[in-house]
Amino acid sequence: MIIIRQIDEMRRAVRREKGQGRTVGLVPTMGYLHEGHLSLVRLARREADVAVVSLFVNPIQFGPKEDLKSYPRDFERDAARLRIEQVDYLFAPADKEMYPGEHRTFVEVRGLQDRLCGRTRPGHFQGVCTVVMKLFQAIEPDCAVFGRKDAQQALILQRMVADLNIPVRMIVAPIIREPDGLAMSSRNTYLDPAERKAALVLSRSLAEARAAVDAGNRDAAEIVAAMRAAIESEPLARVDYIEAVDPADLAPVAELREGTIVALAVFIGRTRLIDNMLI
Ligand code: AMP
């Protein structure tokens, strides 16, 4: 695996690969890799000849009171994991390489960026879209793989690619969970043992919602209310949002149908966790 820190070097390497007829797949990450990330890497390796993983904790997608400073980092461990997965290139630029001076240009996907997580995290998706656009410019991948764990992010990025005619094939991969159901996340490392247990309310409430849907209930308000009750019964949990939304515009729906996304964000202590399911 070749580790690259400079944008121009990354672009040259990819152009060389493409010149030899190989396709390139990109997996953008913020590191502290877990099995969820690695599932995307494996998918990229299946979908393209050359796998590039980017590792960059993007400062502009964090709010002023968020966890940029404390975000977990372990470069050597991440690199070792990616070597085992036979990743070809690890692109790990410094902050100064990505944002060398005052940055004035941003990509936003209006409307979609303000829903769900966008309400609690204003500016977050603008930061995500801008960095992914920059990664696409630096790497010029044929395809890019994102996780459905961040369902809103995936939908917003797909919309950005469509609206701006970006020649990247977008692939969205399923959520990888711990054996007990908790969706894997780098932020799970913030949880102490009691919080780790309490965090199960997210996946449990989704499983109960799934069971209600399977039993024929399509009433979004009823299903969301039952999820809220389940989560509020957990003393360490505080609901940020629970919503059933249309994937096209992320607007709340009254009735669940195929394609509806049931998404939630919950604070467990001071850690904000998200999860979702696709009907
Ligand atoms: P992050 O490092 O948190 O920015 O995540 C990088 C990519 O991994 C994003 O596309 C996420 O959606 C994806 N991802 C994170 N956790 C999971 C998971 N548990 N299952 C599947 N994909 C995930």
Side-chain angles (χ1 to χ4, degrees):
M1 183 174 76
I2 300 173
I3 297 173
I4 295 184
R5 306 253 178 210
Q6 312 293 335
I7 291 169
D8 56 354
E9 192 186 341
M10 187 70 242
R11 194 180 284 130
R12 274 202 306 276
V14 167
R15 288 191 176 171
R16 215 159 37 234
E17 297 284 358
K18 287 181 163 179
Q20 289 166 355
R22 288 190 277 272
T23 59
V24 174
L26 169 67
V27 180
T29 82
M30 298 206 300
Y32 216 71
L33 304 176
H34 50 66
E35 277 298 314
H37 296 112
L38 299 184
S39 75
L40 309 188
V41 170
R42 288 168 201 145
L43 189 52
R45 277 181 39 81
R46 280 204 299 279
E47 295 282 333
D49 302 319
V50 174
V52 181
V53 173
S54 65
L55 194 172
F56 180 63
V57 181
N58 175 35
I60 69 165
Q61 73 186 65
F62 288 79
K65 291 191 183 131
E66 292 182 356
D67 56 343
L68 172 61
K69 276 220 180 81
S70 58
Y71 197 82
R73 292 166 167 89
D74 189 338
F75 184 81
E76 290 310 323
R77 176 163 152 272
D78 288 346
R81 291 197 147 185
L82 295 174
R83 268 186 211 105
I84 291 169
E85 299 299 328
Q86 298 179 304
V87 164
D88 299 284
Y89 296 93
L90 170 56
F91 179 53
D95 287 5
K96 278 218 168 74
E97 177 71 5
M98 291 296 275
Y99 302 109
E102 192 190 359
H103 195 87
R104 290 179 180 272
T105 308
F106 298 89
V107 182
E108 51 173 34
V109 178
R110 294 198 179 154
L112 300 189
Q113 68 185 0
D114 304 319
R115 302 258 186 203
L116 303 175
C117 289
R119 278 206 302 275
T120 321
R121 307 188 70 190
H124 169 67
F125 289 111
Q126 186 187 279
V128 169
C129 289
T130 302
V131 79
V132 169
M133 189 71 192
K134 285 171 71 72
L135 291 169
F136 283 177
Q137 298 298 327
I139 298 163
E140 301 178 335
D142 297 284
C143 63
V145 187
F146 297 88
R148 202 176 295 289
K149 157 84 191 328
D150 300 273
Q152 181 176 15
Q153 168 175 284
L155 286 166
I156 287 176
L157 291 171
Q158 284 174 310
R159 189 55 194 259
M160 173 184 87
V161 160
D163 286 356
L164 298 181
N165 309 104
I166 301 169
V168 176
R169 182 163 59 91
M170 300 290 278
I171 301 168
V172 183
I175 302 175
I176 303 298
R177 298 178 178 281
E178 300 287 355
D180 62 5
L182 179 67
M184 288 191 183
S185 165
S186 308
R187 289 191 168 97
N188 291 350
T189 53
Y190 295 147
L191 304 170
D192 69 25
E195 290 171 340
R196 172 65 183 76
K197 232 176 173 177
L200 283 179
V201 284
L202 282 91
S203 54
R204 210 185 307 127
S205 71
L206 283 170
E208 286 165 11
R210 170 90 68 195
V213 173
D214 288 346
N217 191 347
R218 294 285 181 276
D219 187 320
E222 235 175 69
I223 282 173
V224 165
M227 289 176 68
R228 182 174 291 275
I231 289 165
E232 285 176 350
S233 73
E234 170 52 63
L236 293 176
R238 181 167 60 80
V239 173
D240 179 6
Y241 68 77
I242 307 172
E243 281 187 56
V245 298
D246 185 322
D249 58 3
L250 298 176
V253 297
E255 196 180 307
L256 306 190
R257 60 185 66 181
E258 202 176 317
T260 300
I261 295 167
V262 180
L264 73 167
V266 177
F267 285 94
I268 303 291
R270 299 173 64 170
T271 304
R272 185 173 173 282
L273 300 178
I274 58 172
D275 202 344
N276 69 87
M277 69 171 175
L278 185 65
I279 302 293

